[in-house]
Amino acid sequence: MKTATIDLTNCKYVYELHQRIEKALGFPDYYGKNLDAFWDCISRECDVDFITIIGSESVAEEIKPVIKDIIDLLKENKEHFAGSDRPFDYEILS
């Protein structure tokens, strides 16, 4: 099982958030650093089976809605791969 941790501790900007995601998950250079690109990469390009998110409580207030959207997309991805030969899961530790 391939795992990754996305550390969002003290993240202040949406672009910074996507940079951290890109690095942690090994997304390709053409990652568009937006929610549509996140979905495309997490559901098609990413070979990570389990993602841990830490530091989500310490992000700037302005990006908390984006964190919620990302969590919703992770949930959707988990449902998408349920019962397949490539299960996917995630956890949020803070």
Side-chain angles (χ1 to χ4, degrees), residues 9-76:
T9 304
N10 298 319
C11 188
K12 293 182 179 18
Y13 307 103
V14 173
Y15 189 82
E16 177 187 7
L17 165 75
H18 284 286
Q19 286 178 312
R20 292 182 188 200
I21 289 169
E22 178 181 28
K23 183 177 179 183
L25 301 181
F27 283 175
D29 291 339
Y30 58 82
Y31 174 57
K33 295 176 182 64
N34 59 58
L35 292 174
D36 288 334
F38 177 78
W39 173 253
D40 289 344
C41 285
I42 198 74
S43 64
R44 297 183 196 140
E45 304 285 333
C46 187
D47 64 349
V48 173
D49 303 306
F50 191 89
I51 296 172
T52 301
I53 297 176
I54 61 172
S56 61
E57 294 298 319
S58 69
V59 301
E61 283 299 316
E62 299 81 37
I63 65 172
K64 286 189 177 185
V66 178
I67 301 293
K68 183 195 174 304
D69 291 339
I70 286 173
I71 292 168
D72 289 346
L73 290 172
L74 290 172
K75 180 181 177 185
E76 190 173 334

